[in-house]
Amino acid sequence: MPELPEVEVVRAGLERHVVDSTIRAVEVLHPRPVRRDHRGSTGFVAALVGRRIEAVRRRGKYFWIALDNGDALLGHLGMSGQMLLHEPGAPDERHLRVRFTLATPEARPLEMRFVDQRMFGGLAVSAGGAELPTEIVHIARDPIDPDFDDAEFVRRARRRTSAIKRLLLDQGLISGVGNIYADEALWRARLHGERPGDRLTGQVLRGLLGHVRDVMGEALAQGGTSFDALYVNVNGESGYFDRSLDAYGQEGEPCRRCGTPIRRVAFMNRSSYFCPRCQRPPRRR
């Protein structure tokens, strides 16, 4: 699933190309991606046509396009969603689900397309959601948000007995961090993902936050992590941070610090990757 860096790459690409454009037409080619909009496909279209795009924002793994009437087009990429920009007439993608025809400030036509093979992602119009859609107010700020409260994160994490990796994935505590970047940050911090939050010092947790930010910053600079053709930016280009991964997906490969083979274990219907020497498991209580 795309994580914060991948969604931020998409948000920034949209911001560069669609702000101040007007939505001239919307075509819903499959109803499932707009299933969360209570208006249905027809109402979804009616709420967007004629609106001008004022900004593109993000919180965690959600992005939204702020409109001139105070509403917002809220989006989540799910497992395989893509927001692509094309000149009109470009061949349709096989899994094209929603097409937006835009008029840029220069009156140049432009198509914004939501493409989603597995259709776990989706789009919806959020009434009055231009600043922050009500649908995602429960999601915490992410660690690259300048208003993220490090001290509050440390305080809350130290009161929890949950494993630190589970805390990193808790979108009510810290948003945008997924399986890939959690494993990478924990490897850098030399922390095993099963270490309980209440057994970590404030200094250790602040250091971990620093590693989370470093990993995400490097991933952003490289366009995110792409393991297949499903994650791309708005121009259809893949990121290449997967070439820099130290832990995630590296099972059996030597740890870049100590040479011990990276180990994989089952974790919440997914996998965790860690160095058994650098990241010692916690002692049982």
Side-chain angles (χ1 to χ4, degrees), residues 80-136:
S80 57
Q82 303 170 352
M83 290 294 287
L84 304 176
L85 299 174
H86 286 295
E87 297 293 331
D92 287 354
E93 292 78 8
R94 179 181 177 185
H95 302 292
L96 175 61
R97 308 304 184 188
V98 185
R99 185 199 321 271
F100 303 85
T101 302
L102 309 180
T104 68
E106 299 80 22
R108 177 175 59 88
L110 179 68
E111 284 191 3
M112 180 172 68
R113 301 178 179 182
F114 182 70
V115 178
D116 193 355
Q117 176 179 328
R118 299 174 184 171
M119 291 195 289
F120 294 139
L123 303 170
V125 176
S126 175
E131 292 301 320
L132 178 63
T134 56
E135 295 86 346
I136 60 171

Side-chain angles (χ1 to χ4, degrees), residues 10-255:
V10 171
R11 185 210 66 78
L14 292 174
E15 182 179 60
R16 283 194 299 273
H17 296 288
V18 306
V19 169
D20 290 329
S21 296
T22 300
I23 302 172
R24 294 301 187 195
V26 180
E27 184 181 6
V28 177
L29 302 171
H30 196 293
R32 182 167 172 77
V34 298
R35 63 192 179 279
R36 295 186 181 90
D37 196 306
H38 65 88
R39 304 167 183 81
S41 297
T42 301
F44 175 82
V45 171
L48 293 170
V49 172
R51 301 268 61 92
R52 183 172 55 83
I53 295 171
E54 294 196 332
V56 186
R57 302 186 171 112
R58 179 190 55 76
R59 175 164 287 193
K61 302 173 188 178
Y62 285 86
F63 68 92
W64 67 95
I65 294 174
L67 305 173
D68 60 344
N69 65 343
D71 291 348
L73 173 62
L74 177 63
H76 193 287
L77 298 178
M79 293 291 291
S80 57
Q82 303 170 352
M83 290 294 287
L84 304 176
L85 299 174
H86 286 295
E87 297 293 331
D92 287 354
E93 292 78 8
R94 179 181 177 185
H95 302 292
L96 175 61
R97 308 304 184 188
V98 185
R99 185 199 321 271
F100 303 85
T101 302
L102 309 180
T104 68
E106 299 80 22
R108 177 175 59 88
L110 179 68
E111 284 191 3
M112 180 172 68
R113 301 178 179 182
F114 182 70
V115 178
D116 193 355
Q117 176 179 328
R118 299 174 184 171
M119 291 195 289
F120 294 139
L123 303 170
V125 176
S126 175
E131 292 301 320
L132 178 63
T134 56
E135 295 86 346
I136 60 171
V137 293
H138 63 286
I139 295 176
R141 294 185 183 274
D142 62 67
I144 66 172
D145 187 321
D147 292 324
F148 183 85
D149 190 335
D150 289 28
E152 179 65 7
F153 169 82
V154 170
R155 185 188 68 80
R156 293 178 63 189
R158 295 196 68 202
R159 295 175 61 182
R160 304 270 290 275
T161 59
S162 299
I164 185 58
K165 182 171 179 180
R166 289 178 180 268
L167 295 180
L168 287 177
L169 300 181
D170 182 348
Q171 302 297 295
L173 179 64
I174 177 173
S175 70
V177 184
N179 208 33
I180 297 173
Y181 299 114
D183 279 357
E184 290 299 298
L186 289 166
W187 181 86
R188 294 189 183 196
R190 299 178 182 245
L191 284 175
H192 193 283
E194 291 300 315
R195 293 277 297 275
D198 65 347
R199 288 192 175 185
L200 299 176
T201 67
Q203 181 178 358
V204 167
L205 288 167
R206 286 188 290 272
L208 176 59
L209 275 177
H211 290 300
V212 170
R213 291 186 174 111
D214 288 345
V215 168
M216 289 186 165
E218 292 167 24
L220 276 169
Q222 297 180 44
T225 301
S226 300
F227 289 108
D228 53 35
L230 295 182
Y231 165 67
V232 293
N233 65 16
V234 296
N235 298 315
E237 301 164 339
S238 297
Y240 52 92
F241 188 66
D242 59 296
R243 304 172 194 172
S244 304
L245 295 173
D246 292 304
Y248 187 86
Q250 306 302 304
E251 182 183 16
E253 295 297 320
C255 171

